[in-house]
Amino acid sequence: MHTVSINEPESSYLELFRIALSAEDHEARIAALRQVKQVVSAERLRVLSQSDCWTDEPDNQALLTWAARTAAEREDAICEFLRVSRVYEDRNERRLTIAEHAGKLVYLSIKEEKREGVQTPSGILYQLTQAAKEHGIQGGRDKDTVRRSWGAYRGIVHLGMAIDLCDEQASPPEEVLFLAEQIRRVLSTSCPKGASEPYVPQAEQISFVYKSGIWGPRFRDRGLPYRVED
């Protein structure tokens, strides 16, 4: 299982991290997540550059050197993430959303102690296709599309699920990562009734953990680290 740390500035860009997770496979998702971190750093530097004479402050010289040395890396990452975003808008948004809906049904089934199967005749994916037919949800009415979407994205649905659930409950943004980790653990430690394998193998998952990034030069009570971490 891959673990991604999210610091304070990055926590304001969780929707971009969700878009990164829409990439086609595990390696592409890890690369896209790193690209988002570069996007966040670029935005922080853009805001910082609007402050008068910040480059003249002795405490900021190391940051200035780091920013100049890594500028090309950030530009490349931004271009690559724009490509990921276009594919998300063209094709992967629907697939990811379908998988997240399936994840919500699985999570609810676990919480209600039903622990229904996913691909059984009346299981989770069947319920999703029926609901899609009733509500006219594009893509969700085709059982093969639903099955492929769940198979492709089941390891990363917890972040989008947490974003949606926190929005519905008007929870503060800082709750998203904690809820996402809770959902991830439930999905990877719970099995359908009569089965020995969990709904989501832990090896397929990406875990998001909060890690304070407040250190280094101070700017409006926020810190910008000199590096981009996983």
Side-chain angles (χ1 to χ4, degrees):
M1 181 182 68
H2 187 82
T3 299
V4 176
S5 62
I6 303 292
N7 61 31
E8 288 88 345
E10 291 166 349
S11 67
S12 298
Y13 295 82
L14 292 181
E15 186 57 41
L16 294 188
F17 285 99
R18 176 181 173 272
I19 291 173
L21 293 175
S22 71
E24 298 294 339
D25 56 42
H26 186 77
E27 290 185 3
R29 289 166 196 158
I30 300 304
L33 290 168
R34 289 174 177 148
Q35 290 157 13
V36 173
K37 286 176 171 284
Q38 296 282 12
V39 170
V40 175
S41 287
E43 178 60 18
R44 296 292 296 163
L45 287 169
R46 184 191 68 80
V47 174
L48 182 59
S49 68
Q50 297 173 356
S51 177
D52 294 337
C53 301
W54 74 277
T55 57
D56 297 332
E57 297 179 18
D59 289 344
N60 285 340
Q61 290 307 303
L63 175 59
L64 183 62
T65 300
W66 173 83
R69 188 178 68 247
T70 57
E73 183 180 354
R74 280 191 300 279
E75 290 178 6
D76 289 344
I78 291 170
C79 290
E80 285 299 311
F81 185 68
L82 285 175
R83 184 190 62 79
V84 173
S85 298
R86 285 194 294 268
V87 176
Y88 168 81
E89 293 172 356
D90 292 342
R91 181 173 69 248
N92 288 343
E93 179 179 11
R94 184 182 66 179
R95 298 171 60 216
L96 178 58
T97 300
I98 289 171
E100 289 168 349
H101 279 301
K104 289 178 183 178
L105 291 177
V106 170
Y107 188 64
L108 181 62
S109 182
I110 295 169
K111 288 298 184 181
E112 293 179 346
E113 299 185 353
K114 296 179 180 178
R115 294 191 290 116
E116 298 158 290
V118 174
Q119 300 192 50
T120 54
S122 60
I124 300 298
L125 299 188
Y126 171 80
Q127 295 172 31
L128 180 55
T129 56
Q130 291 301 110
K133 290 176 182 177
E134 292 175 8
H135 299 286
I137 301 174
Q138 186 178 9
R141 291 171 287 184
D142 181 73
K143 62 181 181 180
D144 289 332
T145 299
V146 171
R147 176 178 52 79
R148 288 193 297 267
S149 297
W150 173 249
Y153 291 115
R154 62 181 181 173
I156 51 84
V157 293
H158 44 280
L159 181 62
M161 289 170 59
I163 291 172
D164 284 348
L165 290 171
C166 284
D167 283 345
E168 292 170 4
Q169 299 170 7
S171 302
E174 55 267 24
E175 293 294 325
V176 173
L177 292 178
F178 298 104
L179 179 57
E181 182 63 9
Q182 176 185 323
I183 294 171
R184 184 198 66 76
R185 291 179 180 178
V186 169
L187 295 179
S188 64
T189 57
S190 303
C191 306
K193 285 185 177 179
S196 58
E197 296 295 325
Y199 284 100
V200 181
Q202 190 179 79
E204 295 182 15
Q205 292 184 316
I206 296 176
S207 174
F208 293 90
V209 297
Y210 174 81
K211 181 179 180 181
S212 177
I214 298 302
W215 63 283
R218 307 295 292 184
F219 172 59
R220 295 182 183 174
D221 297 323
R222 294 288 190 178
L224 182 66
Y226 295 152
R227 64 184 184 276
V228 174
E229 299 179 326
D230 284 341

